[in-house]
């Protein structure tokens, strides 16, 4: 958990601003730190990342004063232009706002409805995971052999998000944003993907299919209500939140089964 | 130009949220309260000389209307109902919300004419909880296809919830004629709505059960399409046994 906290802190610290040079140096330093951290985690090592900052600073300082006369030596020219473009920008995933560690934490929270949820993980609205799950649901529905149902999935999720957002704003004292609701509902769609992929293997129209669908609906709504109540501090009202979620996921299950 | 458009949108959104805040106190409930009110909605009160208290909350009625929508959709899907002008979802939502809001407004208008002591929120709440009986009836009869069972549920469960609403309204109205007008209208609309939902949204194929042949065959025997094989066999044998005893 401490690693998670530290990573969370690092993730927000680096804001690269192009217009302010001094801040650019500071943030560049921490950015390089972050790059070093991530790369050491994934096992890649850029060549001699140690001396690149100092060289970059030197050449930048001399570069600003004399535009027309290059003061750096030619043998570092190609390397400098490469690291110039590469190191000045934040990593692509960070720029897009995709944080794999958070996505994995949220997925684990959804998959284990009995584990108490951490209320602070919903502070950032992350729509990458939900998008992936919606696409996975549509893809597995295609695999089962239904008509193409992507439109229904998106339409249902949009209307469901609006309705849940209105209800949660009415029932909770702190408000909640659209993104947060969409994110939570999207993450809790994961068990529904499991249901539709099991429809590939056997037909869901019998008693077994109905029981499985009911179980998955319960799972989804329990996870969603658990996350909502922990994030909005609405103890005692988890069942009241779980029921509208169950209705929404029931509609998704209707789409999957029939 | 963009700033002006943005500001206008923001002010419109803000006014929408300001309006939503008006509804906030009606959603402040505990699960125990909701459960208690659901059970109470099936119990007709005996004391009609004293105005009965109606809880003015909107969470329970709203959830019940959505549940009714879900049950309707399920019924339409299992019987392969085809809606030509529109979508299944739109029809279901339109029917349920239209009934809840429309009939509430109409009865509120009649109550205003008949000098009954009831507010709009209370009427919405009362009618919403009265849909609990409809939900139970439709949930059972969309899955077990027997007309006699439906009529029993219609009179029993539907009747109980109607009686409860009627009793509450009678306790809040003075004068025999007014009571008769108000409660008669409400009872008629409520019971007829249940009848309509059963017959219009769960189309059953008029057909003859395969296992029933011979002189014991009743004139109408409706079966539903696409029910699972196991329950089909069970229903067939049960219906055969019932028909043979007639």
């Amino acid at each position: 958990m401490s690693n998670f906290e530290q990573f969370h802190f690092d993730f927000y610290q680096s804001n690269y601003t192009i217009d302010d040079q001094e801040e650019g140096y500071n943030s560049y330093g921490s950015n390089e730190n972050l790059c070093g951290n991530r790369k050491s985690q994934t096992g890649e090592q850029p060549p001699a990342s140690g001396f690149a900052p100092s060289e970059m600073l030197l050449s930048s300082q001399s570069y600003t004063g004399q535009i027309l006369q290059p003061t750096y030596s030619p043998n570092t020219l190609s390397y400098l232009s490469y690291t110039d473009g590469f190191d000045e920008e934040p990593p692509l995933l960070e720029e897009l706002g995709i944080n794999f560690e958070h996505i994995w934490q949220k997925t684990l929270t959804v998959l284990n409805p009995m584990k108490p949820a951490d209320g602070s993980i919903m502070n950032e609205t992350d729509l990458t995971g939900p998008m992936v799950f919606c696409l996975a649901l549509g893809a597995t529905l295609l695999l089962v052999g239904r008509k193409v149902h992507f439109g229904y999935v998106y339409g249902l999720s949009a209307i469901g998000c609006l309705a849940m957002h209105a209800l949660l704003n009415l029932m909770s004292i702190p408000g909640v944003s659209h993104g947060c609701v969409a994110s939570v509902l999207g993450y809790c769609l994961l068990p529904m993907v499991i249901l539709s992929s099991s429809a590939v293997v056997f037909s869901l129209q019998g008693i077994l299919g109905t029981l499985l669908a009911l179980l998955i609906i319960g799972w989804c709504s329990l996870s969603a209500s658990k996350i909502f109540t922990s994030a909005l501090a609405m103890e005692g009202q988890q069942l009241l939140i779980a029921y509208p979620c169950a209705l929404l996921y029931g509609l998704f299950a209707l789409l999957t089964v029939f | 130009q963009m700033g002006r458009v943005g500001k206008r949108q923001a002010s419109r959104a803000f006014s929408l949220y300001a309006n939503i805040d008006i509804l906030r106190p009606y959603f402040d409930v505990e699960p125990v309260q909701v459960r208690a009110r659901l059970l109470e909605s099936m119990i007709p009160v005996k004391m009609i000389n004293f105005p009965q208290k109606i809880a003015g909350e909107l969470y329970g009625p709203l959830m019940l209307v959505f549940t009714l929508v879900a049950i309707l959709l399920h019924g339409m899907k299992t019987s392969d109902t085809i809606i030509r002008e529109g979508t299944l979802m739109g029809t279901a939502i339109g029917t349920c919300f239209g009934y809840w809001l429309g009939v509430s407004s109409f009865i509120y208008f009649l109550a205003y004419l008949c000098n009954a002591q009831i507010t709009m929120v209370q009427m919405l709440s009362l009618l919403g909880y009265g849909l609990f009986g409809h939900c139970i009836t439709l949930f059972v009869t969309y899955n077990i296809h027997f007309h006699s069972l439906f009529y029993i549920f219609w009179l029993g469960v539907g009747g109980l919830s109607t009686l409860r609403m009627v009793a509450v309204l009678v306790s809040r109205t003075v004068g025999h004629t007014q009571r008769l007008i108000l409660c008669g209208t409400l009872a008629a609309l409520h019971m007829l709505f249940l009848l309509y939902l059963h017959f219009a949204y769960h189309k059953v194929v008029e057909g003859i059960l395969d296992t029933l042949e011979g002189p014991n065959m009743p004139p109408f025997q409706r079966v539903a399409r696409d029910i699972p094989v196991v329950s089909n066999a069970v229903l067939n044998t049960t219906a055969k046994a019932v028909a043979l005893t007639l």
Side-chain angles (χ1 to χ4, degrees):
Chain A
M1 228 28 209
S2 61
N3 188 22
F4 174 67
E5 293 295 326
Q6 191 233 352
F7 198 75
H8 181 94
F9 187 66
D10 277 342
F11 186 75
Y12 282 117
Q13 197 187 8
S14 51
N15 287 321
Y16 184 70
T17 55
I18 298 179
D19 45 10
D20 198 353
Q21 287 283 345
E22 282 78 32
E23 278 188 19
Y25 295 159
N26 285 341
S27 68
Y28 176 74
S30 65
N31 190 15
E32 186 58 39
N33 209 12
L34 181 65
C35 288
N37 265 349
R38 286 170 69 100
K39 290 190 172 96
S40 60
Q41 278 177 8
T42 57
E44 300 169 37
Q45 270 299 345
S49 56
F51 77 85
S54 52
E55 192 174 80
M56 178 60 198
L57 286 172
L58 267 170
S59 51
S60 294
Q61 278 172 352
S62 49
Y63 185 62
T64 47
Q66 302 148 35
I67 302 173
L68 296 178
Q69 293 167 22
T71 52
Y72 42 80
S73 51
N75 60 350
T76 57
L77 174 63
S78 52
Y79 180 69
L80 193 61
S81 56
Y82 172 69
T83 54
D84 207 14
F86 182 66
D87 287 333
E88 263 186 27
E89 297 172 3
L92 178 66
L93 286 181
E94 191 186 309
E95 218 173 278
L96 287 175
I98 301 175
N99 184 353
F100 280 126
E101 187 63 38
H102 278 197
I103 292 179
W104 182 239
Q105 287 291 327
K106 288 186 207 175
T107 312
L108 281 180
T109 312
V110 166
L111 284 178
N112 189 1
M114 295 304 149
K115 186 171 87 161
D118 184 15
S120 63
I121 62 176
M122 284 302 144
N123 280 340
E124 53 186 43
T125 66
D126 160 38
L127 287 178
T128 320
M131 272 297 146
V132 167
F133 294 150
C134 280
L135 284 171
L137 183 66
T140 44
L141 282 177
L142 266 181
L143 269 181
V144 173
R146 311 241 171 269
K147 308 191 291 288
V148 183
H149 273 159
F150 283 104
Y152 281 121
V153 169
Y154 285 136
L156 262 182
S157 9
I159 295 179
C161 283
L162 282 175
M164 277 309 293
H165 171 254
L167 189 70
L168 282 175
N169 268 331
L170 284 170
M171 287 184 71
S172 70
I173 298 167
V176 68
S177 67
H178 282 100
C180 176
V181 174
S183 177
V184 174
L185 288 179
Y187 271 107
C188 297
L189 202 58
L190 179 61
M192 201 56 64
V193 177
I194 297 176
L195 178 71
S196 66
S197 43
S198 73
V200 175
V201 179
F202 61 92
S203 163
L204 289 178
Q205 303 261 353
I207 305 268
L208 181 63
T210 313
L211 282 176
L212 188 64
L214 286 174
L215 180 72
I216 297 277
I217 292 172
W219 184 4
C220 289
S221 48
L222 252 166
S223 299
S225 58
K226 178 189 70 167
I227 297 179
F228 276 132
T229 48
S230 66
L232 296 173
M234 293 164 63
E235 310 87 16
Q237 288 185 318
Q238 184 173 354
L239 276 180
L240 295 185
I241 301 289
Y243 187 66
C245 293
L247 284 180
L248 178 66
Y249 290 121
L251 286 180
F252 275 108
L254 211 63
L255 193 68
T256 310
V257 170
F258 290 103
Chain B
Q1 178 72 7
M2 288 297 287
R4 249 181 286 145
V5 169
K7 207 183 295 190
R8 224 180 305 139
Q9 276 183 347
S11 63
R12 214 181 312 142
F14 181 69
S15 63
L16 178 69
Y17 278 124
N19 284 338
I20 278 185
D21 266 340
I22 295 176
L23 295 176
R24 202 177 266 266
Y26 302 125
F27 282 84
D28 186 18
V29 285
E30 301 287 321
V32 191
Q33 288 175 324
V34 176
R35 191 175 51 217
R37 283 172 196 160
L38 279 177
L39 291 174
E40 261 176 20
S41 73
M42 301 299 293
I43 304 173
V45 289
K46 296 260 174 22
M47 207 167 40
I48 56 174
N49 296 319
F50 184 73
Q52 294 296 315
K53 184 176 180 312
I54 308 176
E57 60 134 324
L58 290 178
Y59 173 84
L62 196 67
M63 287 306 124
L64 280 171
V65 174
F66 278 126
T67 310
L68 195 61
V69 170
I71 294 175
L72 272 185
L73 275 172
H74 178 69
M76 288 199 277
K77 279 286 190 183
T78 48
S79 68
D80 289 333
T81 308
I82 300 179
I83 307 267
R84 296 232 159 70
E85 307 284 332
T87 61
L88 283 180
M89 177 82 106
T91 316
I93 290 183
T95 309
C96 298
F97 271 93
Y99 174 76
W100 183 45
L101 297 171
V103 172
S104 288
S105 318
F106 180 61
I107 299 290
Y108 178 66
F109 168 67
L110 276 186
Y112 172 75
L113 289 181
C114 299
N115 275 332
Q117 306 286 324
I118 194 165
T119 65
M120 184 65 190
V121 174
Q122 284 175 331
M123 190 60 227
L124 282 170
S125 179
L126 192 66
L127 193 64
Y129 276 115
L131 287 175
F132 182 52
H134 284 25
C135 286
I136 295 178
T137 311
L138 290 174
F139 182 66
V140 169
T141 54
Y142 276 171
N143 292 317
I144 305 175
H145 310 283
F146 268 136
H147 271 350
S148 48
L149 185 68
F150 168 69
Y151 285 121
I152 294 171
F153 265 84
W154 180 60
L155 283 175
V157 177
L160 269 179
S161 66
T162 313
L163 269 177
R164 152 114 189 138
M165 291 198 298
V166 158
V168 168
L169 274 180
V170 159
S171 75
R172 286 171 167 254
T173 321
V174 260
H176 283 295
T177 321
Q178 287 94 327
R179 281 177 174 180
L180 195 61
I181 294 174
L182 198 56
C183 303
T185 321
L186 180 60
L189 284 173
H190 205 62
M191 301 293 274
L192 286 177
F193 184 58
L194 184 55
L195 217 56
Y196 167 69
L197 282 182
H198 179 83
F199 286 109
Y201 287 99
H202 189 64
K203 291 226 172 5
V204 290
V205 175
E206 277 182 34
I208 303 167
L209 271 179
D210 296 336
T211 56
L212 274 182
E213 287 167 45
N216 288 333
M217 193 177 70
F220 276 106
Q221 197 64 38
R222 296 179 178 217
V223 297
R225 279 183 276 170
D226 292 341
I227 53 179
V229 176
V230 173
S231 57
N232 199 2
V234 165
L235 285 177
N236 284 351
T237 46
T238 323
K240 186 177 180 181
V242 163
L244 283 175
T245 54
L246 285 175

